[in-house]
Amino acid sequence: MTMDDRIKARLGRQQIYDKTDPPTVHFVLSESCLRRVWGGEAVMREQLDYLIKLSNRPNIMIQVMPFNAPPGRRSPIGTRFILLQIPSPGAAGPLELAYTEDDTEIRYLDDKKALAKREQAWTRMSTAALGFEESRAFMRQVARDFQ
């Protein structure tokens, strides 16, 4: 899969947020995600404005983990991951899994131990990160820094 293929796929997946009944999502972003320049300052401002716009939707929660968060409060997991809970009818309950992706592979994990490890990391990260309003203000400041 080429980088162009990955970009097209991500842009396609973003359309889910514009559906009539969009999913509820919660992100914790490292400050490095907001400051690492891709495509120049104008592109960075546009991306940050988009994140701020999304963060105002009731179903999208965005938090920022700033560089100055105390080291003891960070997650030991160094790879990005997505926890998914997909509603399922019947006694089986929802489908729960973790999605991980890097340059060489995409993995879906449903192992209880692997899920528990990432759920614990998620709790630590979301607790240590800035609150929703603080994160929005932080993103606005970073966008101003790119002017």
Side-chain angles (χ1 to χ4, degrees):
M1 179 182 284
T2 68
M3 183 57 77
D4 285 342
D5 292 335
R6 287 177 188 240
I7 291 169
K8 286 177 188 175
R10 274 197 192 187
L11 290 173
R13 288 193 303 255
Q14 287 178 6
Q15 292 177 2
I16 194 170
Y17 302 129
D18 296 323
K19 292 174 73 173
T20 304
D21 188 21
T24 298
V25 292
H26 185 173
F27 302 96
V28 175
L29 304 175
S30 168
E31 180 177 346
S32 63
C33 297
L34 306 177
R35 295 199 181 274
R36 187 170 295 116
V37 179
W38 291 92
E41 292 186 352
V43 171
M44 294 301 294
R45 279 192 307 275
E46 183 181 331
Q47 292 297 315
L48 285 159
D49 289 343
Y50 180 69
L51 286 173
I52 293 164
K53 179 182 168 186
L54 286 178
S55 76
N56 283 301
R57 294 184 182 186
N59 62 307
I60 299 178
M61 298 164 279
I62 299 176
Q63 291 181 267
V64 174
M65 176 72 75
F67 289 142
N68 65 357
R73 294 168 56 189
R74 295 198 182 158
S75 166
I77 292 183
T79 59
R80 61 185 176 210
F81 63 94
I82 299 170
L83 292 174
L84 299 165
Q85 187 176 59
I86 302 164
S88 176
L95 173 64
E96 296 178 334
L97 53 102
Y99 168 91
T100 63
E101 161 185 341
D102 62 31
D103 291 341
T104 59
E105 69 179 348
I106 295 172
R107 295 180 63 198
Y108 293 91
L109 308 169
D110 63 356
D111 174 73
K112 296 292 182 192
K113 193 173 183 179
L115 283 172
K117 182 177 178 183
R118 283 161 180 81
E119 286 170 355
Q120 290 168 359
W122 175 255
T123 299
R124 286 192 300 277
M125 286 189 303
S126 61
T127 301
L130 298 174
F132 303 123
E133 292 298 325
E134 294 171 302
S135 293
R136 193 174 297 115
F138 190 93
M139 289 186 287
R140 285 187 190 112
Q141 181 56 53
V142 173
R144 283 192 293 273
D145 291 347
F146 281 112
Q147 293 186 17

